[in-house]
Amino acid sequence: MASVLLDLPLRCRCGHVRGVGSAVSPSTGFRFFCYCKDCQAFARFLKRVDVLDTAGGTDIFQMPPALVRLTAGRDAVRCVRLSDGGVFRWYTDCCRTPIGNTFGPRVPMIGVIHCFMDHQADGRSRDAVLGPPLCRIYERSAVGPLPPTAPAPPSFGLFVRRTSKVLAWWLRGLARPNPFFDEGWNAPCSVPRVLTHSERAALR
Ligand SMILES: [Zn+2]
Ligand SMILES: [Zn+2]
């Protein structure tokens, strides 16, 4: 069955920050589970370990920045970096909902975290909209046995597919606009808070 390209509502837990993911389908992006220590530390920083699965995994959908729009509550969007030069991790100040991860204003992808996608309002299941997760990464950092539903580790073919997909986003100009960076200056829309070594260490 051909996948239907529909907009997907985005929403923080309290509803202050809202947005839209355009034309979201399994072929729009790349869904995976990340078990890395940094994604776990981000959830701990937010005091939202409830967003992790039982082994500490985060369900992420990487998609092109141009297809993610914020429509309300931009004033509550915040950014944290676990180290100087680290990934830009975006969240909402109103209710500490993790939004997603970006590598910078020029990198053509945003890893949108599952809890910012409003599948309830959308009425379709996450698997139906995004397809099943394609792989898991950093499972060595998992904090428990992986759930039976955990996807397989990435194959080389999947790695190639993802690289060519991201390259295609870049070639199609989908790196811009990025909802988290100023169009002209490339400045982050909220000044990132960079954690100190001891702040980061406290999140282990
Ligand atoms: Zn909120
Ligand atoms: Zn991670």
Side-chain angles (χ1 to χ4, degrees):
M1 199 175 82
S3 52
V4 188
L5 299 178
L6 290 175
D7 288 351
L8 179 71
L10 307 174
R11 181 188 191 274
C12 67
R13 188 166 53 167
C14 80
H16 180 74
V17 181
R18 290 167 183 271
V20 180
S22 300
V24 176
S25 79
S27 61
T28 313
F30 194 89
R31 183 180 172 199
F32 62 99
F33 271 73
C34 185
Y35 290 91
C36 85
K37 290 192 168 83
D38 283 356
C39 285
Q40 294 177 39
F42 181 39
R44 277 186 215 113
F45 167 78
L46 296 174
K47 299 190 168 53
R48 289 296 311 275
V49 288
D50 59 294
V51 307
L52 304 174
D53 75 12
T54 50
T58 307
D59 187 345
I60 298 172
F61 188 67
Q62 271 182 347
M63 58 183 291
L67 301 186
V68 179
R69 265 185 312 128
L70 294 178
T71 55
R74 191 174 269 280
D75 58 293
V77 173
R78 298 286 182 276
C79 183
V80 66
R81 305 180 84 176
L82 301 180
S83 63
D84 206 8
V87 172
F88 295 83
R89 295 176 183 270
W90 302 91
Y91 65 96
T92 72
D93 194 36
C94 42
C95 58
R96 315 284 284 179
T97 298
I99 298 176
N101 309 319
T102 60
F103 293 96
R106 290 189 183 82
V107 181
M109 59 181 167
I110 294 178
V112 183
I113 295 173
H114 67 95
C115 44
F116 193 57
M117 291 183 159
D118 194 353
H119 297 295
Q120 210 165 359
D122 183 56
R124 295 169 293 166
S125 75
R126 183 164 173 83
D127 279 5
V129 182
L130 308 177
L134 298 173
C135 68
R136 63 183 188 234
I137 56 174
Y138 294 111
E139 66 180 285
R140 271 180 303 179
S141 303
V143 293
L146 296 182
T149 50
S155 62
F156 181 69
L158 196 63
F159 178 77
V160 171
R161 231 170 84 198
R162 175 173 171 273
T163 306
S164 56
K165 190 168 251 187
V166 174
L167 185 66
W169 295 344
W170 182 72
L171 290 171
R172 287 166 59 203
L174 296 178
R176 305 297 196 106
N178 186 312
F180 303 113
F181 294 92
D182 177 89
E183 189 63 18
W185 298 92
N186 285 336
C189 68
S190 171
V191 179
R193 173 175 164 195
V194 181
L195 298 190
T196 63
H197 280 296
S198 54
E199 282 175 323
R200 171 66 184 86
L203 297 172
R204 278 190 224 288

